[in-house]
Amino acid sequence: MRNFEQGRVWNRACLRIVAKGFGRAPSLKLLRKRPATGGQAGAGKKDQIGGDIALCTVSPHFFSGMFNFTTMPGFNRSDSINLLSKLTFRRAWNGIRVLGSYYVSKWTKSPVQWGYPVSISFEPTTSCNLRCPECPSGLRAFTRPTGMLQRDFFTETIDQLYKDLLYLVFYFQGEPYLNPDFLDMVSYASGKKIYTATSTNAHYLNDNNARRTIESGLDRLIISIDGTTQDVYQQYRVGGRLDKVLEGTRNIVKWKKQLKSRTPFIVFQFLVVKPNEHQIEDVKKLAKEIGVDDVWFKTAQVYDYENDPNHLIPTIDKYSRYRKTENGHEFKGKLANHCWRLWHDPVITWDGLVAPCCFDKDAQHRLGNLKEKTFKEIWNDGEYKQFRKNILKGRKNIDICSNCSEGTKVWENS
């Protein structure tokens, strides 16, 4: 009964909380016992916990703000409009409830979960053609098996989630284009009106794959380019060829123009490390020359940041997650006892394991197996609740949180 009454109070309050949760305040109105009117952004909805009738009017800035906050470094008008075009009333209401439950949990220090994930990362494969020094896939350092996501399993899972799911990232570990069914799965998700994104090293963007990528309906394509000359590029992207990256990018730009498509939004992601920090301006010029939509500069996660054995931590402070000390380096982040990821953005591995977030790269904190239970059973199961409770008690006691970027600045725009 206590939890029920808590739900009554906070489910009505959560919409007001949202306005404080982001720098861009939405337009929010709560009108009790009033019927919905047609054509509004939010229609009348029966409060599933409190039992009251509430009308919620939410400006589009709320949702663009939510995704700027969690998955992208800045605002792009075209990309944001495309994201908003995927909204349905059900997805919007689900997002509000999820965000509200997060703030309730944060304030009360007791895990409350309303709704289902707004975003999911689905892993196409753990295989990769490169050997990047700070990547478990590149280092072949997994304890879990390597394999490929099967299309039937993917479609079955999406069928469980698509009505509430707004955003789908086809990436966790590995190179997505190594999975032969990857673009077919993108097409399936696009057909469900889900915003789709992926990250690639671009070595497999031949002419045919580039055309199929445009035709798949992919909404965002992030291309990793960590140097503008081969000698610099290969210092982090070990085994990679810059000419293949540039050829693949040009193929994507060409087919996007020829097919007169507004998508995907094409991004150069430049992981700033010490060997390439002098090429920041060069990659901006290269992107403009090729016709890439934006360049994002990402700070690097370094596992042994105290010693930095590979000499990757950049000297430019704003592009580093770490600060220099007398004894080496220390993490800039503050491990506050809450984490937005646990409430809205789980990870599903290629073989069906549900992990709490993208920092659990080896899926050691397994919260369920989709080969054994439905996603909704796992999402509301005791293991998930306990993990959220542990986060609220003390993130410093959880290994994957010790070097997590939550609460720190990860991205810079060009």
Side-chain angles (χ1 to χ4, degrees):
M1 181 60 71
R2 180 176 178 272
N3 290 338
F4 178 82
E5 289 302 323
Q6 186 183 65
R8 278 181 67 91
V9 174
W10 285 105
N11 202 41
R12 293 195 297 271
C14 73
L15 301 180
R16 294 188 181 95
I17 293 167
V18 168
K20 296 181 181 179
F22 298 95
R24 191 179 295 161
S27 168
L28 296 172
K29 295 179 183 177
L30 288 176
L31 302 176
R32 296 185 61 189
K33 297 182 179 178
R34 176 173 173 180
T37 56
Q40 287 183 286
K45 176 74 177 180
K46 185 165 180 67
D47 185 325
Q48 295 178 20
I49 295 183
D52 295 322
I53 299 296
L55 182 74
C56 173
T57 304
V58 185
S59 78
H61 292 301
F62 163 67
F63 290 97
S64 61
M66 176 184 285
F67 282 91
N68 287 338
F69 180 77
T70 57
T71 59
M72 58 188 294
F75 178 81
N76 177 274
R77 182 182 179 84
S78 176
D79 191 38
S80 295
I81 289 172
N82 181 35
L83 172 63
L84 290 172
S85 73
K86 311 293 183 180
L87 272 178
T88 62
F89 171 72
R90 177 165 172 165
R91 288 173 180 172
W93 180 247
N94 180 65
I96 291 166
R97 296 183 71 229
V98 169
L99 188 61
S101 67
Y102 165 66
Y103 276 102
V104 170
S105 303
K106 180 180 173 181
W107 289 356
T108 63
K109 303 299 181 184
S110 178
V112 176
Q113 181 68 57
W114 302 325
Y116 295 99
V118 177
S119 171
I120 280 181
S121 295
F122 221 134
E123 181 180 63
T125 182
T126 44
S127 299
C128 190
N129 54 308
L130 303 185
R131 293 183 176 270
C132 305
E134 293 294 326
C135 175
S137 182
L139 293 171
R140 314 305 194 254
F142 289 123
T143 61
R144 60 189 178 98
T146 295
M148 300 283 178
L149 176 63
Q150 298 301 303
R151 188 182 349 182
D152 290 348
F153 169 65
F154 170 78
T155 56
E156 288 171 7
T157 305
I158 292 302
D159 286 347
Q160 295 178 41
L161 297 169
Y162 78 92
K163 291 180 181 179
D164 297 302
L165 187 65
L166 177 64
Y167 193 102
L168 177 59
V169 179
F170 282 93
Y171 182 75
F172 179 34
Q173 300 298 305
E175 168 52 45
Y177 280 86
L178 285 173
N179 188 320
D181 294 326
F182 166 58
L183 291 173
D184 291 331
M185 291 185 280
V186 173
S187 295
Y188 188 82
S190 296
K192 299 289 186 181
K193 305 299 182 186
I194 302 169
Y195 185 98
T196 55
T198 197
S199 179
T200 178
N201 61 45
H203 281 61
Y204 298 95
L205 291 177
N206 57 41
D207 198 62
N208 182 56
N209 278 344
R211 176 167 186 157
R212 289 186 62 212
T213 297
I214 308 302
E215 292 173 338
S216 73
L218 183 72
D219 293 293
R220 182 185 299 168
L221 180 65
I222 299 173
I223 295 173
S224 295
I225 179 170
D226 303 328
T228 58
T229 57
Q230 177 62 27
D231 63 318
V232 171
Y233 172 81
Q234 68 186 4
Q235 288 186 59
Y236 187 79
R237 298 287 166 180
V238 178
R241 287 175 46 190
L242 180 61
D243 63 323
K244 294 287 289 183
V245 178
L246 299 180
E247 178 188 355
T249 304
R250 290 188 174 100
N251 286 338
I252 286 286
V253 171
K254 178 188 76 173
W255 281 111
K256 184 178 175 181
K257 288 179 180 177
Q258 287 192 17
L259 296 175
K260 298 179 180 179
S261 176
R262 298 178 65 182
T263 57
F265 182 66
I266 307 169
V267 178
F268 266 172
Q269 176 184 281
F270 193 88
L271 187 70
V272 183
V273 288
K274 190 173 182 178
N276 69 14
E277 60 185 346
H278 65 288
Q279 294 186 337
I280 286 173
E281 293 303 319
D282 294 337
V283 77
K284 294 178 185 178
K285 294 175 185 175
L286 184 60
K288 186 174 181 180
E289 172 195 316
I290 294 175
V292 169
D293 296 311
D294 205 354
V295 182
W296 295 354
F297 297 99
K298 186 177 182 181
T299 60
Q301 180 186 19
V302 178
Y303 288 98
D304 184 8
Y305 57 82
E306 293 96 341
N307 301 306
D308 188 23
N310 295 312
H311 307 290
L312 294 174
I313 296 177
T315 61
I316 305 173
D317 184 66
K318 77 172 184 176
Y319 294 118
S320 177
R321 300 183 193 183
Y322 314 96
R323 65 173 63 89
K324 194 169 180 58
T325 67
E326 292 181 0
N327 300 318
H329 291 87
E330 65 179 11
F331 184 50
K332 290 179 180 177
K334 296 179 180 180
L335 291 179
N337 294 333
H338 54 84
C339 182
W340 170 228
R341 298 173 195 264
L342 264 292
W343 271 256
H344 88 289
D345 185 22
V347 168
I348 302 174
T349 66
W350 68 270
D351 54 350
L353 300 177
V354 177
C357 73
C358 59
F359 279 85
D360 188 9
K361 301 182 190 303
D362 208 17
Q364 293 178 329
H365 299 273
R366 299 172 185 182
L367 302 178
N369 188 334
L370 286 167
K371 302 291 178 69
E372 299 170 359
K373 293 182 179 180
T374 67
F375 184 88
K376 292 185 177 181
E377 287 175 320
I378 293 170
W379 188 243
N380 295 304
D381 201 2
E383 288 186 59
Y384 230 122
K385 290 179 181 178
Q386 185 60 48
F387 198 87
R388 294 186 187 109
K389 187 175 182 179
N390 293 342
I391 286 284
L392 296 169
K393 280 185 175 180
R395 282 176 67 207
K396 66 181 181 180
N397 298 320
I398 302 174
D399 56 347
I400 60 172
C401 298
S402 62
N403 196 9
C404 171
S405 63
E406 182 75 8
T408 63
K409 194 168 185 180
V410 175
W411 304 92
E412 289 283 348
N413 268 110
S414 60

PDB file of all heavy atoms in Angstrom, residues 391-409:
ATOM      1  N   ILE A 391      23.012   0.659  -7.264  1.00  0.00           N
ATOM      2  CA  ILE A 391      23.464   1.930  -7.851  1.00  0.00           C
ATOM      3  C   ILE A 391      23.112   3.090  -6.924  1.00  0.00           C
ATOM      4  O   ILE A 391      23.921   3.997  -6.686  1.00  0.00           O
ATOM      5  CB  ILE A 391      22.814   2.143  -9.236  1.00  0.00           C
ATOM      6  CG1 ILE A 391      23.445   1.216 -10.278  1.00  0.00           C
ATOM      7  CG2 ILE A 391      22.914   3.610  -9.684  1.00  0.00           C
ATOM      8  CD1 ILE A 391      24.802   1.629 -10.765  1.00  0.00           C
ATOM      9  N   LEU A 392      21.897   3.067  -6.390  1.00  0.00           N
ATOM     10  CA  LEU A 392      21.438   4.152  -5.521  1.00  0.00           C
ATOM     11  C   LEU A 392      22.156   4.155  -4.182  1.00  0.00           C
ATOM     12  O   LEU A 392      22.278   5.193  -3.526  1.00  0.00           O
ATOM     13  CB  LEU A 392      19.916   4.041  -5.303  1.00  0.00           C
ATOM     14  CG  LEU A 392      19.053   4.221  -6.563  1.00  0.00           C
ATOM     15  CD1 LEU A 392      17.614   3.832  -6.272  1.00  0.00           C
ATOM     16  CD2 LEU A 392      19.125   5.646  -7.079  1.00  0.00           C
ATOM     17  N   LYS A 393      22.649   2.996  -3.774  1.00  0.00           N
ATOM     18  CA  LYS A 393      23.382   2.896  -2.502  1.00  0.00           C
ATOM     19  C   LYS A 393      24.823   3.368  -2.652  1.00  0.00           C
ATOM     20  O   LYS A 393      25.361   4.043  -1.762  1.00  0.00           O
ATOM     21  CB  LYS A 393      23.384   1.439  -2.017  1.00  0.00           C
ATOM     22  CG  LYS A 393      22.107   1.013  -1.322  1.00  0.00           C
ATOM     23  CD  LYS A 393      22.276  -0.400  -0.768  1.00  0.00           C
ATOM     24  CE  LYS A 393      21.059  -0.820   0.042  1.00  0.00           C
ATOM     25  NZ  LYS A 393      21.225  -2.190   0.584  1.00  0.00           N
ATOM     26  N   GLY A 394      25.478   3.000  -3.755  1.00  0.00           N
ATOM     27  CA  GLY A 394      26.878   3.379  -3.898  1.00  0.00           C
ATOM     28  C   GLY A 394      27.489   2.873  -5.186  1.00  0.00           C
ATOM     29  O   GLY A 394      27.841   1.698  -5.274  1.00  0.00           O
ATOM     30  N   ARG A 395      27.648   3.750  -6.174  1.00  0.00           N
ATOM     31  CA  ARG A 395      28.229   3.344  -7.456  1.00  0.00           C
ATOM     32  C   ARG A 395      29.695   2.954  -7.316  1.00  0.00           C
ATOM     33  O   ARG A 395      30.217   2.164  -8.113  1.00  0.00           O
ATOM     34  CB  ARG A 395      28.094   4.469  -8.481  1.00  0.00           C
ATOM     35  CG  ARG A 395      26.700   4.593  -9.085  1.00  0.00           C
ATOM     36  CD  ARG A 395      26.603   5.772 -10.018  1.00  0.00           C
ATOM     37  NE  ARG A 395      27.411   5.597 -11.198  1.00  0.00           N
ATOM     38  CZ  ARG A 395      27.925   6.602 -11.917  1.00  0.00           C
ATOM     39  NH1 ARG A 395      27.739   7.841 -11.536  1.00  0.00           N
ATOM     40  NH2 ARG A 395      28.633   6.367 -12.998  1.00  0.00           N
ATOM     41  N   LYS A 396      30.381   3.538  -6.333  1.00  0.00           N
ATOM     42  CA  LYS A 396      31.808   3.247  -6.189  1.00  0.00           C
ATOM     43  C   LYS A 396      32.067   1.780  -5.863  1.00  0.00           C
ATOM     44  O   LYS A 396      33.195   1.288  -6.029  1.00  0.00           O
ATOM     45  CB  LYS A 396      32.420   4.135  -5.109  1.00  0.00           C
ATOM     46  CG  LYS A 396      31.920   3.865  -3.705  1.00  0.00           C
ATOM     47  CD  LYS A 396      32.577   4.811  -2.706  1.00  0.00           C
ATOM     48  CE  LYS A 396      32.089   4.531  -1.282  1.00  0.00           C
ATOM     49  NZ  LYS A 396      32.706   5.441  -0.304  1.00  0.00           N
ATOM     50  N   ASN A 397      31.031   1.080  -5.423  1.00  0.00           N
ATOM     51  CA  ASN A 397      31.188  -0.338  -5.091  1.00  0.00           C
ATOM     52  C   ASN A 397      30.929  -1.262  -6.276  1.00  0.00           C
ATOM     53  O   ASN A 397      31.004  -2.477  -6.135  1.00  0.00           O
ATOM     54  CB  ASN A 397      30.234  -0.698  -3.953  1.00  0.00           C
ATOM     55  CG  ASN A 397      30.526   0.089  -2.682  1.00  0.00           C
ATOM     56  OD1 ASN A 397      31.680   0.289  -2.344  1.00  0.00           O
ATOM     57  ND2 ASN A 397      29.481   0.540  -2.005  1.00  0.00           N
ATOM     58  N   ILE A 398      30.601  -0.685  -7.437  1.00  0.00           N
ATOM     59  CA  ILE A 398      30.305  -1.480  -8.631  1.00  0.00           C
ATOM     60  C   ILE A 398      31.434  -1.277  -9.641  1.00  0.00           C
ATOM     61  O   ILE A 398      31.711  -0.148 -10.057  1.00  0.00           O
ATOM     62  CB  ILE A 398      28.949  -1.068  -9.237  1.00  0.00           C
ATOM     63  CG1 ILE A 398      27.842  -1.254  -8.188  1.00  0.00           C
ATOM     64  CG2 ILE A 398      28.651  -1.874 -10.495  1.00  0.00           C
ATOM     65  CD1 ILE A 398      26.491  -0.737  -8.620  1.00  0.00           C
ATOM     66  N   ASP A 399      32.081  -2.353 -10.035  1.00  0.00           N
ATOM     67  CA  ASP A 399      33.305  -2.258 -10.830  1.00  0.00           C
ATOM     68  C   ASP A 399      33.128  -1.495 -12.138  1.00  0.00           C
ATOM     69  O   ASP A 399      33.982  -0.676 -12.496  1.00  0.00           O
ATOM     70  CB  ASP A 399      33.876  -3.657 -11.089  1.00  0.00           C
ATOM     71  CG  ASP A 399      32.886  -4.592 -11.765  1.00  0.00           C
ATOM     72  OD1 ASP A 399      31.679  -4.272 -11.824  1.00  0.00           O
ATOM     73  OD2 ASP A 399      33.309  -5.677 -12.231  1.00  0.00           O
ATOM     74  N   ILE A 400      32.048  -1.735 -12.865  1.00  0.00           N
ATOM     75  CA  ILE A 400      31.885  -1.096 -14.169  1.00  0.00           C
ATOM     76  C   ILE A 400      31.620   0.397 -14.052  1.00  0.00           C
ATOM     77  O   ILE A 400      31.708   1.131 -15.048  1.00  0.00           O
ATOM     78  CB  ILE A 400      30.760  -1.770 -14.999  1.00  0.00           C
ATOM     79  CG1 ILE A 400      29.415  -1.678 -14.276  1.00  0.00           C
ATOM     80  CG2 ILE A 400      31.134  -3.203 -15.342  1.00  0.00           C
ATOM     81  CD1 ILE A 400      28.241  -2.152 -15.125  1.00  0.00           C
ATOM     82  N   CYS A 401      31.292   0.877 -12.860  1.00  0.00           N
ATOM     83  CA  CYS A 401      31.008   2.300 -12.665  1.00  0.00           C
ATOM     84  C   CYS A 401      32.263   3.126 -12.393  1.00  0.00           C
ATOM     85  O   CYS A 401      32.227   4.357 -12.481  1.00  0.00           O
ATOM     86  CB  CYS A 401      30.038   2.492 -11.501  1.00  0.00           C
ATOM     87  SG  CYS A 401      28.410   1.732 -11.742  1.00  0.00           S
ATOM     88  N   SER A 402      33.359   2.484 -12.047  1.00  0.00           N
ATOM     89  CA  SER A 402      34.543   3.209 -11.583  1.00  0.00           C
ATOM     90  C   SER A 402      35.158   4.098 -12.658  1.00  0.00           C
ATOM     91  O   SER A 402      35.815   5.095 -12.345  1.00  0.00           O
ATOM     92  CB  SER A 402      35.594   2.222 -11.059  1.00  0.00           C
ATOM     93  OG  SER A 402      36.018   1.359 -12.099  1.00  0.00           O
ATOM     94  N   ASN A 403      34.966   3.749 -13.931  1.00  0.00           N
ATOM     95  CA  ASN A 403      35.548   4.517 -15.037  1.00  0.00           C
ATOM     96  C   ASN A 403      34.456   4.930 -16.019  1.00  0.00           C
ATOM     97  O   ASN A 403      34.689   5.069 -17.210  1.00  0.00           O
ATOM     98  CB  ASN A 403      36.614   3.665 -15.739  1.00  0.00           C
ATOM     99  CG  ASN A 403      37.539   4.479 -16.624  1.00  0.00           C
ATOM    100  OD1 ASN A 403      37.530   5.703 -16.614  1.00  0.00           O
ATOM    101  ND2 ASN A 403      38.322   3.784 -17.431  1.00  0.00           N
ATOM    102  N   CYS A 404      33.256   5.139 -15.486  1.00  0.00           N
ATOM    103  CA  CYS A 404      32.079   5.414 -16.324  1.00  0.00           C
ATOM    104  C   CYS A 404      31.973   6.898 -16.624  1.00  0.00           C
ATOM    105  O   CYS A 404      32.268   7.740 -15.771  1.00  0.00           O
ATOM    106  CB  CYS A 404      30.822   4.921 -15.600  1.00  0.00           C
ATOM    107  SG  CYS A 404      29.278   5.426 -16.377  1.00  0.00           S
ATOM    108  N   SER A 405      31.496   7.224 -17.806  1.00  0.00           N
ATOM    109  CA  SER A 405      31.390   8.621 -18.229  1.00  0.00           C
ATOM    110  C   SER A 405      30.095   9.287 -17.794  1.00  0.00           C
ATOM    111  O   SER A 405      29.893  10.476 -18.041  1.00  0.00           O
ATOM    112  CB  SER A 405      31.505   8.703 -19.761  1.00  0.00           C
ATOM    113  OG  SER A 405      30.418   8.016 -20.369  1.00  0.00           O
ATOM    114  N   GLU A 406      29.185   8.550 -17.146  1.00  0.00           N
ATOM    115  CA  GLU A 406      27.933   9.145 -16.712  1.00  0.00           C
ATOM    116  C   GLU A 406      28.210  10.330 -15.788  1.00  0.00           C
ATOM    117  O   GLU A 406      28.872  10.208 -14.769  1.00  0.00           O
ATOM    118  CB  GLU A 406      27.075   8.106 -15.979  1.00  0.00           C
ATOM    119  CG  GLU A 406      25.712   8.616 -15.534  1.00  0.00           C
ATOM    120  CD  GLU A 406      24.723   8.735 -16.674  1.00  0.00           C
ATOM    121  OE1 GLU A 406      25.033   8.295 -17.790  1.00  0.00           O
ATOM    122  OE2 GLU A 406      23.620   9.260 -16.437  1.00  0.00           O
ATOM    123  N   GLY A 407      27.694  11.496 -16.180  1.00  0.00           N
ATOM    124  CA  GLY A 407      27.910  12.697 -15.385  1.00  0.00           C
ATOM    125  C   GLY A 407      29.150  13.491 -15.807  1.00  0.00           C
ATOM    126  O   GLY A 407      29.414  14.559 -15.268  1.00  0.00           O
ATOM    127  N   THR A 408      29.912  12.973 -16.790  1.00  0.00           N
ATOM    128  CA  THR A 408      31.047  13.717 -17.315  1.00  0.00           C
ATOM    129  C   THR A 408      30.807  14.044 -18.775  1.00  0.00           C
ATOM    130  O   THR A 408      29.981  13.429 -19.444  1.00  0.00           O
ATOM    131  CB  THR A 408      32.357  12.896 -17.201  1.00  0.00           C
ATOM    132  OG1 THR A 408      32.237  11.719 -18.018  1.00  0.00           O
ATOM    133  CG2 THR A 408      32.631  12.483 -15.782  1.00  0.00           C
ATOM    134  N   LYS A 409      31.549  15.007 -19.303  1.00  0.00           N
ATOM    135  CA  LYS A 409      31.367  15.409 -20.695  1.00  0.00           C
ATOM    136  C   LYS A 409      32.172  14.477 -21.597  1.00  0.00           C
ATOM    137  O   LYS A 409      33.392  14.322 -21.442  1.00  0.00           O
ATOM    138  CB  LYS A 409      31.829  16.854 -20.896  1.00  0.00           C
ATOM    139  CG  LYS A 409      31.364  17.448 -22.218  1.00  0.00           C
ATOM    140  CD  LYS A 409      31.575  18.952 -22.264  1.00  0.00           C
ATOM    141  CE  LYS A 409      30.991  19.517 -23.540  1.00  0.00           C
ATOM    142  NZ  LYS A 409      31.176  21.001 -23.622  1.00  0.00           N
TER     143      LYS A 409
END
